[in-house]
């Protein structure tokens, strides 16, 4: 009898273990699988970060059960957010910041975060922070655009450089009722002073909507991740933006900064937002803390070598065994006259520069071996190059400071405070007269560009001449 009860008890224990395959009840198994899904998604995203997008089917939750940091991921197809409490939106001075990790393949112009007027959509008032793309040049930049209710035109501030996909950027924008400023990674990259007054009047507040993740109105949606959004009803200083980027906001000396913080969302849930298109963005594990200061090098458009590869650079930093003595060979090209006289660099200058180069890099076990090459060409030696000055800009009737060196005749006379005095008898008299060598005197009627009359290398500044 005892043996019979022991067998029954054993069968019950085994049955309990086999319930749902792992010994969990149904709800417990769902919680466990959700946790596994989040962990596997984090691993997969980190592993593929340099070459692929975020996984597109990560399970999200509006109430995470662990202490992991999360970010909101917009898939580019749905998940637009709208701020629930519009009373927090500043209408005067304001600052806003958030972290963004964009993916490629954005629309020509994509609002990531924008304030719109739902009552007067045709006026396009409000502000927007997003991505603008020139598809012909394949050049994508971050921008901040703003237009007050009373303004006839908008102000558009954009970064002078393109962004890299799958990389975290700290975006900050400010408006002080006259000037808009755009900051990227703690540095101010653009500013425009074209607006006046508050964004909108108080009675129009109910018309304003703050959208995150794109534009429901135009059907354009952002693809990428965002994290840690903050909004102030004051203008942050450059120092405070830099401290925010470096996670040093606790160093803010101005207590007014904390008091004026009207909204903050670390995106651990979406309780402050409503979903516009019946779907919320995904909540994914955030790698912001480990990736925001990641070493990244931009390779130039020409001259790309293996040494431009960031992985190679990191290996030199991490492995001292690779820093063994290196010999770098280089060619120094010098230009002189046909007979070898008047070189651009004397032999003494060449030796001094070469010695200083080796002295500077010896500490890194790098030695330079020089090979000299002399070009004998008098025409090339006497040719002058004026950087960032086009020939058609000389003597075109507008003063261009970049074209006003001595050997252009002060931009062909365009930058002269007063017209040079040149008697008519001197114009075209067979001699080059410097006072007549101006565009408004028809370049002394060609006398200064005639090789039979003068040394055209010194006197010819007429862009239309073959001796220019």
């Amino acid at each position: 009898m005892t043996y019979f009860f022991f067998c029954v008890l054993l069968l019950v224990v085994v049955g309990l273990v086999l319930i749902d395959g792992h010994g969990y009840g149904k709800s417990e198994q769902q919680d466990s699988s959700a946790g596994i899904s989040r962990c596997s998604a984090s691993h997969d995203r980190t592993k593929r970060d340099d070459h692929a997008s975020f996984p597109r089917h990560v399970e999200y939750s509006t109430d995470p059960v662990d202490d992991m940091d999360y970010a909101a991921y917009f898939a580019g197809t749905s998940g637009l957010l709208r701020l629930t409490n519009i009373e927090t939106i500043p209408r005067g001075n304001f600052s806003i910041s958030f972290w963004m990790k964009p993916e490629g393949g954005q629309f020509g112009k994509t609002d990531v975060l924008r304030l719109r007027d739902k009552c007067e959509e045709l006026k396009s008032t409000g502000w927007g922070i997003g991505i603008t793309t020139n598809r012909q040049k394949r050049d994508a930049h971050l921008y901040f655009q703003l237009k007050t209710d009373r303004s006839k035109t908008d102000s558009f501030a954009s970064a002078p450089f393109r962004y890299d996909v799958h990389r975290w950027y700290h975006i900050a924008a400010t408006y002080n009722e006259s000037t808009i400023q755009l900051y990227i990674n703690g540095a101010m990259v653009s500013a425009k002073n074209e607006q006046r007054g508050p964004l909108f009047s108080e009675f129009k507040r109910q018309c304003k909507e703050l959208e995150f993740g794109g534009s429901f109105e135009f059907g354009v949606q952002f693809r990428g991740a965002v994290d840690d959004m903050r909004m102030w009803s004051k203008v942050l200083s450059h120092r405070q933006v830099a401290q925010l980027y470096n996670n040093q906001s606790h160093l803010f000396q101005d207590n007014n900064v904390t008091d004026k913080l009207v909204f903050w969302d670390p995106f651990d849930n979406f309780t402050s937002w409503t979903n516009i298109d019946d779907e919320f963005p995904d909540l994914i594990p955030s790698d912001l803390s480990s990736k925001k200061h990641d070493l990244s090098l931009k390779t130039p458009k020409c001259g790309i070598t293996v040494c431009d590869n960031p992985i190679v650079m990191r290996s030199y930093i991490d492995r001292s065994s690779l820093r063994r003595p290196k010999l770098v060979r280089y060619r120094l090209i010098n230009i002189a006259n046909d007979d070898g006289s008047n070189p651009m660099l004397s032999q003494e200058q060449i030796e001094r520069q070469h010695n200083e180069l080796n002295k500077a890099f010896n500490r890194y076990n790098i030695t330079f071996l020089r090979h000299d090459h002399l070009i004998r060409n008098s025409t090339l030696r006497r040719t002058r190059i004026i950087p960032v000055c086009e020939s058609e800009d000389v003597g075109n009737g507008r003063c261009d400071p970049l074209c006003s060196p001595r050997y252009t005749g002060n931009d062909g006379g365009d930058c002269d405070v007063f017209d040079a005095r040149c008697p008519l008898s001197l114009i075209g008299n067979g001699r080059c007269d410097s006072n007549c060598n101006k565009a408004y005197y028809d370049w002394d009627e060609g006398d200064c560009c005639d090789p039979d009359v003068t040394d055209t290398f010194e006197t010819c500044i007429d862009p239309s001449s073959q001796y220019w």
Side-chain angles (χ1 to χ4, degrees), residues 439-454:
Y440 48 82
Y441 288 131
D442 197 22
W443 308 108
D444 200 9
E445 290 192 354
D447 284 347
C448 295
C449 291
D450 187 349
D452 296 330
V453 172
T454 182

Side-chain angles (χ1 to χ4, degrees), residues 57 124 126 134 143 168 172 223 241 282 309 322 326 432 443 449:
H57 303 289
S124 300
N134 185 327
Y143 72 84
W168 283 108
R223 294 177 61 239
V241 172
D282 292 342
N309 189 324
L322 294 177
K326 301 290 192 305
C432 177
W443 308 108
C449 291

Side-chain angles (χ1 to χ4, degrees), residues 142 157-161 181-185 187-191 238:
L142 304 174
S158 65
F161 52 86
Q181 294 177 318
L182 175 63
Y183 298 84
I184 298 179
N185 291 348
M188 188 178 71
V189 297
S190 184
H238 193 164

Side-chain angles (χ1 to χ4, degrees), residues 90-96 127 129 144 146 173-177 199 231-236:
R91 70 182 190 91
N93 295 340
F94 77 90
S95 301
I96 191 162
W127 53 262
I129 301 173
F144 175 38
L146 183 144
T174 66
Y175 175 60
N176 64 358
E177 299 193 7
L199 281 165
M231 186 162 51
W232 295 262
S233 58
K234 77 178 299 293
V235 177
L236 297 183

